[in-house]
Amino acid sequence: MRVPAANRSVRAESGEMPENGRSRRKRVPKTCDCCGPHGKPLAPGHQQLSKKRGRRKKEMLSQEEEVAAEEEVVSSAAADSVVTLEADAASEMDEAPSPKEKPGLSQTERGRESTVLVNGLENSAPSDTPNDLMKKPRTEPDAMETAPPGLSASWDHHYCKPLAEENRSDSTEETGQPPALPPVELTTEGIIECIHEFLEQFYGKYGGFTPLSETDVLDHLNKTFQSDLNDRMKLITKEVAKYRAGLACAPMHFFQVTYNKHTLTLDDLSTLDDQNWVNDQVINMYGELIMEATNHKVHFFNSFFYRQFVAKGYEGVRRWTKKVDLFSKTLILIPLHLEIHWSLITLDVSKQSINFYDSQGILFKFAVDNILKYILAEAKEKKQAVFQKGWRMVVNRTIPQQKNDNDCGVFVLEYCKCLAFMKPLLFTQEDMPRVRKRIYRELCDCRLSDCLNQDKAT
């Protein structure tokens, strides 16, 4: 026969909420792994909780008695301390009996059967509540001997101690600097390992070893070992050659460099290698970097601009300056690709001069006349009456000249950079191999180097 449940208010006052014949007990939040169902006893006297739910088991009392007997055999002092704790617990329970104690039990029995409910589990250990345990210091000598000095018995629990990563992050925040790496040993094996690490990073960043020089590796080693390793150049050269030979059969064909609307493939960048002819993609992206480096005070026309103007006249390039005011610039750069040769025309807006630069001393006067026609038409279109007359042509013959038939494009790029930053043209043909490597790096880094002519000895 089913008995009707008591009124909700009556059950709330009594502290018991029966449901389906079972009583609900208030669960205490988990405080530590060592007090929960997955805790591991770290020392004698630190027992694991029972995994039984809902009922008190008499077997727990027998297990406690066996543990107490074993402790008494091992250490009489430990047994005395346990007895003292049990007596203290019993006396405290006599003074403050639990409202949920069993009727009909004596105070001593209630003290022995006092149950601590943690996370819905029952603990029959004759101890206080978890909060009291956190406040009172442990007195078991075995637990103190097991734990390392200066740490509690639960020192290896994952939230009883800070993690190693947290310690490292705290130290980084306090000092403001990352922890120092262990020094690299200055041995032959250490040098070789450092060379291989540098070459691996370099290969991934630049897609190859075209811009690499032996001084780059030497500078990296000197910085890493904080020592002068010029006497190890034979070893450096040998290891670099061996490493490059190993990767020669596996080029990074997928390597690309993207900047604004420009994209350079490994084939485009390879035109800067050795004596190759520089193509339009390299010229145009480098001009974009020059404009960015000068905060667009210098304007660089695409290498296809002149061809379009010659083919279709001013109407064919009218939209090229739709959002650009050429007459507010300090310098205008116009590269010319005439058949198989690169030249450069510049417009100094403030002086109203058209300058022609050619690394072989050739003068293409018809090209200068075409640019003059363009700038006059542009001034008329933008209603700049001051710039509709007064332009003059200047031919620069005392400029660095090439001594081969392959470096005209590199000379044009170096002209552009020096003129954009108003630096003298001091480079020579002997500087071209280093200039090629520098331009390759600048394109991959998508920014110009800080110093001009940095690869020329002072």
Side-chain angles (χ1 to χ4, degrees), residues 46-84:
H46 197 94
Q47 292 84 3
Q48 186 177 359
L49 300 180
S50 172
K51 295 187 179 180
K52 301 293 182 178
R53 282 181 173 268
R55 296 180 182 179
R56 297 173 180 171
K57 299 296 182 179
K58 294 183 179 180
E59 289 79 5
M60 298 297 296
L61 298 177
S62 61
Q63 292 178 3
E64 292 175 7
E65 294 175 358
E66 293 177 0
V67 172
E70 292 176 1
E71 292 181 353
E72 184 175 2
V73 174
V74 175
S75 174
S76 60
D80 293 339
S81 62
V82 173
V83 173
T84 304

Side-chain angles (χ1 to χ4, degrees), residues 370-389:
N370 288 331
I371 296 300
L372 178 60
K373 292 178 183 178
Y374 167 77
I375 198 64
L376 293 176
E378 180 72 8
K380 184 179 179 179
E381 175 70 18
K382 298 297 178 64
K383 299 179 180 180
Q384 297 284 342
V386 177
F387 298 100
Q388 292 182 19
K389 59 181 178 178

Side-chain angles (χ1 to χ4, degrees), residues 224-348:
T224 302
F225 294 99
Q226 298 181 356
S227 178
D228 188 5
L229 298 178
N230 285 310
D231 56 338
R232 303 292 187 99
M233 280 303 299
K234 290 184 178 180
L235 174 63
I236 296 173
T237 304
K238 179 181 177 181
E239 289 300 323
V240 171
K242 189 186 302 181
Y243 198 92
R244 295 183 65 168
L247 292 177
C249 58
M252 299 176 64
H253 295 294
F254 58 87
F255 184 83
Q256 286 187 348
V257 177
T258 304
Y259 182 76
N260 290 347
K261 297 180 180 180
H262 302 276
T263 300
L264 296 180
T265 64
L266 197 60
D267 292 336
D268 297 325
L269 292 170
S270 64
T271 61
L272 288 166
D273 188 17
D274 199 19
Q275 297 293 315
N276 294 335
W277 292 1
V278 178
N279 66 3
D280 294 86
Q281 301 298 329
V282 171
I283 296 287
N284 294 332
M285 181 170 170
Y286 199 78
E288 188 80 16
L289 296 179
I290 290 176
M291 289 193 294
E292 292 290 339
T294 58
N295 295 322
H296 292 272
K297 294 180 181 179
V298 175
H299 185 74
F300 184 91
F301 271 110
N302 192 292
S303 64
F304 303 105
F305 167 80
Y306 181 77
R307 302 178 197 173
Q308 186 78 359
F309 175 74
V310 172
K312 298 183 178 181
Y314 179 75
E315 291 299 325
V317 295
R318 181 179 179 181
R319 296 176 59 86
W320 286 54
T321 57
K322 182 179 180 180
K323 299 180 180 180
V324 178
D325 182 11
L326 292 181
F327 303 100
S328 65
K329 308 296 181 179
T330 59
L331 185 67
I332 300 173
L333 304 173
I334 306 175
L336 306 178
H337 190 221
L338 304 175
E339 296 182 359
I340 58 173
H341 184 64
W342 286 99
S343 299
L344 176 68
I345 292 179
T346 68
L347 285 82
D348 191 329

